[in-house]
Structures are given as C-alpha cells and as structure tokens.
Amino acid sequence: AMWSTIRFYRGWQSIRDYVLVKLPKRHTVAAFDHLSLGSAYAFKVMMKGNYAAPFIIVLWGFSICLSSYWFRLSESTACLFKFVEDPRCEDENAKIWGLGNTAHTFEKVNDPWIWNAMWIMWATASSVGYG
C-alpha cells in the first residue's frame, strides 16, 4: 500500500515539473528572490490559471480513489487470506464479530471489490456521510 502511494507522489512530481517548466526564466527569478519554486508554488500557479476548476475536480476524484484504497486495505482482515498461518486466526474473535453486548453477530468476510469502498468515500465526501 505504501509503494502505491509513493507512486502517486511521483506522479505529482511530474505534474509539478510540467507546470514549472512553462514559467519563463524560472531559475533566474528563483535565484534573485531566494525563492523555492516547489510544490506549493506549482499548486498556486495551477489554482490561479484557467485550469483551476478541472484541477480541483481531478484532485477531489484522486483523493476519493486514494482514500477508498486505504480504507479497503485497513478494513481487510489478514486471517481470511488462505496463506496466513497465524495461531491467533483460529480464535473465534478473528472470524465472528459482534455488535457490543447484543446477541447480533456476523461472520467477517473480505470484500476486495474497490467500488464498494469508493461508494463509501463518495457518499462521505459529498454529503454528511450517510450514503
């Protein structure tokens, strides 16, 4: 999961460099004014230009995809994978979950379908979260 997130960061570096290359004499201006033309400046340039609204839409969609990816990974239980041989997975609490002190229990099942997680993130981000 961490490697996938780092790949997304590398993609941002490419976008940042694309935005900064378009600036005329960017190294000269940065040297004279002792500025760092990094990610923050590239973000300001993108938010000031004509592409601010599409950039916000793409950034919002990207954040929903990334948060749903992390949500799906954190929700999965490793005990349900076939290759796990941990003795703690044989415990009943690793397979059956309960709702507080009630008699309602359910069996935990991994749901690898990312669209369910994306729906949860979409509903949470676009409303009060009750989907």
Side-chain angles (χ1 to χ4, degrees):
M2 186 59 75
W3 290 112
S4 296
T5 306
I6 290 172
R7 277 190 256 160
F8 288 126
Y9 176 70
R10 298 295 291 174
W12 164 249
Q13 288 177 337
S14 300
I15 294 170
R16 179 196 64 200
D17 291 343
Y18 175 75
V19 169
L20 293 178
V21 163
K22 292 173 139 184
L23 297 175
K25 301 180 184 179
R26 62 186 172 98
H27 296 295
T28 307
V29 172
F32 285 144
D33 293 336
H34 303 290
L35 295 174
S36 173
L37 297 180
S39 294
Y41 186 74
F43 186 74
K44 288 178 187 178
V45 168
M46 285 192 292
M47 297 309 286
K48 191 176 181 180
N50 294 335
Y51 299 106
F55 176 71
I56 291 171
I57 292 169
V58 168
L59 184 65
W60 190 58
F62 170 74
S63 65
I64 286 176
C65 291
L66 186 63
S67 62
S68 63
Y69 176 71
W70 277 94
F71 173 73
R72 182 57 56 211
L73 288 177
S74 65
E75 188 185 44
S76 299
T77 177
C79 288
L80 296 177
F81 295 125
K82 296 177 183 175
F83 55 84
V84 175
E85 298 177 2
D86 194 333
R88 293 176 291 183
C89 292
E90 299 302 321
D91 188 20
E92 193 66 25
N93 291 334
K95 299 175 187 171
I96 305 294
W97 290 21
L99 300 174
N101 293 329
T102 65
H104 297 19
T105 59
F106 61 93
E107 185 176 350
K108 176 66 178 154
V109 178
N110 280 351
D111 183 14
W113 206 42
I114 192 69
W115 297 110
N116 289 339
M118 290 179 89
W119 170 253
I120 291 170
M121 292 302 133
W122 175 269
T124 304
S126 63
S127 66
V128 292
Y130 297 114

